């Protein structure tokens, strides 16, 4: 179980803890200070570094693995399955595993190998890692009124042109990034 106020505790091995992450170029729909707009995950991480708004506490989790966490103290929200979900933490980590490009009918996202998605098998939701997704799988994607279901058209390992990936931990443990719903830690 995750205790969001004090620390992150995981039910999985330590080495797999922070392998979730998006390319710095992927975008989120964010609501903050009565404004709504799209921002890349790397810009979101950078924005919360500034001392003005939003407020965040930054700490290095692992120097050896270059993992940084920002605990968000203000009311910042990203779009998720049930509308906007409060952002609790933002993580940046160095890449230590392959990167994948996932394409659906109308969306694509670039993520780390172990990033988690919800796929549908016979209308049942199953948590799966990016590298386990296959062409023909069904995933949730962004739609202005309600999430919709789209087919995965392509899953491809790619060579990244960046050094870090970013994760966003929300109160409901997920967000639409580049229009595709992914789980956060």
């Amino acid at each position: 179980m995750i205790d969001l106020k004090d620390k992150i505790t995981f039910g999985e091995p330590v080495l797999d803890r922070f392998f979730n992450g998006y390319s710095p170029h992927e975008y989120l729909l964010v609501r903050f200070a009565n404004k709504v707009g799209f921002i890349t995950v790397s810009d979101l991480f950078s924005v919360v570094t500034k001392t003005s708004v939003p407020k965040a506490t930054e700490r290095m989790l692992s120097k050896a693995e270059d993992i940084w966490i920002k605990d968000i103290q203000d009311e910042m929200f990203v779009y998720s399955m049930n509308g906007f979900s409060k952002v609790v933490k933002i993580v940046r980590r160095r890449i230590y595993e392959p990167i994948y490009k996932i394409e659906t009918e109308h969306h694509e996202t670039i993520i780390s190998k172990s990033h988690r998605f919800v796929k549908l098998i016979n209308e049942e939701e199953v948590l799966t890692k990016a590298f386990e997704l296959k062409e023909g799988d069904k995933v949730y994607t962004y739609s202005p009124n309600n999430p919709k279901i789209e087919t995965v058209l392509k899953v491809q390992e790619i060579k990244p042109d960046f050094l870090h990936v970013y994760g966003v931990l929300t109160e409901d443990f997920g967000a639409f990034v580049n229009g595709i719903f992914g789980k956060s830690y």
Side-chain angles (χ1 to χ4, degrees), residues 23-138:
S23 151
H25 314 295
E26 308 307 275
Y27 61 87
L28 299 150
L29 181 57
V30 175
R31 185 178 81 203
F32 178 74
N34 296 321
K35 294 181 181 174
V36 176
F38 289 97
I39 188 169
T40 66
V41 289
S42 62
D43 285 346
L44 183 65
F45 190 84
S46 298
V47 156
V48 297
T49 316
K50 297 176 182 172
T51 55
S52 56
V53 290
K55 294 180 184 142
T57 303
E58 181 177 79
R59 58 195 160 94
M60 180 183 286
L61 188 66
S62 169
K63 184 174 184 176
E65 296 188 41
D66 194 14
I67 300 172
W68 289 84
I69 290 183
K70 294 186 181 191
D71 300 301
I72 307 304
Q73 299 161 354
D74 285 333
E75 297 289 312
M76 174 185 283
F77 302 86
V78 296
Y79 197 71
S80 188
M81 288 294 277
N82 300 311
F84 282 94
S85 181
K86 186 175 186 313
V87 175
V88 179
K89 298 178 187 302
I90 303 172
V91 178
R92 183 189 77 196
R93 72 162 181 91
R94 194 168 201 52
I95 297 171
Y96 292 103
E97 69 174 4
I99 298 296
Y100 281 75
K101 181 177 184 180
I102 308 296
E103 294 180 38
T104 67
E105 299 157 57
H106 298 99
H107 303 279
E108 67 180 50
T109 191
I110 298 174
I111 42 72
S112 59
K113 172 184 175 180
S114 297
H115 201 95
R116 301 221 177 0
F117 289 89
V118 175
K119 73 177 180 179
L120 289 100
I121 300 174
N122 299 323
E123 298 182 23
E124 185 176 328
E125 294 179 348
V126 176
L127 197 59
T128 188
K129 294 180 179 180
F131 78 95
E132 297 169 329
L133 283 173
K134 305 283 185 246
E135 291 178 13
D137 283 347
K138 305 288 185 192

